């Protein structure tokens, strides 16, 4: 049993899949709109810019879908192979592993 599993074995939480994913959705939507604003102002300085709400929709679909579907796929794969895995533990572990995307979502390639 690895260290993460020992720590969350008695009480796995859903902080990772819920709040890390929600933070990532809003960061991606906000920074995506900020990027479109900056590109628009650079090309057309006098142009009027409007906030694009669809960025939130797309980010939510992609991030929540990824945060929910991948652990479920791993769960069924592990069940097929004969490993006794808990879906809640997989969601907990996968949600915390999404944390690395928070700082990397602010990176803008030059």
């Amino acid at each position: 049993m690895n260290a993460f599993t020992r720590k969350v074995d008695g009480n796995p939480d859903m902080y990772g899949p819920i709040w890390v994913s929600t933070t990532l959705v809003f960061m991606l939507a906000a920074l995506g709109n900020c990027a479109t604003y900056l590109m628009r102002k650079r090309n057309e300085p006098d142009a009027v810019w409007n906030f694009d709400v669809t960025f939130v929709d797309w980010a939510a679909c992609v991030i929540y879908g990824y945060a929910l579907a991948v652990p479920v796929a791993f769960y069924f794969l592990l069940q097929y192979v004969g490993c006794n895995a808990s879906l809640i533990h997989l969601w907990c572990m996968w949600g915390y592993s999404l944390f690395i995307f928070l700082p990397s979502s602010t990176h803008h390639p030059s």
Side-chain angles (χ1 to χ4, degrees):
M1 197 179 278
N2 63 20
F4 182 81
T5 307
R6 278 194 306 270
K7 288 183 184 200
V8 300
D9 194 30
N11 191 15
D13 62 8
M14 296 302 282
Y15 178 84
I18 294 171
W19 295 112
V20 172
S21 298
T22 302
T23 304
L24 189 56
V25 164
F26 285 107
M27 283 182 68
L28 288 174
L31 294 172
N33 274 297
C34 182
T36 59
Y37 170 76
L38 293 174
M39 288 187 301
R40 181 99 184 232
K41 283 296 184 183
R42 181 176 157 194
N43 295 335
E44 304 170 34
D46 297 331
V48 176
W49 177 82
N50 293 320
F51 181 80
D52 189 4
V53 179
T54 60
F55 279 39
V56 177
D57 298 338
W58 278 105
C61 289
V62 170
I63 298 300
Y64 288 130
Y66 183 71
L68 294 173
V70 173
V72 170
F74 275 119
Y75 173 75
F76 285 118
L77 178 69
L78 290 171
Q79 293 298 315
Y80 178 74
V81 201
C83 182
N84 188 14
S86 166
L87 183 58
I88 298 296
H89 282 108
L90 288 172
W91 266 325
C92 177
M93 184 172 45
W94 193 256
Y96 278 110
S97 72
L98 294 177
F99 177 77
I100 192 63
F101 290 115
L102 293 174
S104 66
S105 68
T106 61
H107 174 71
H108 176 65
S110 299

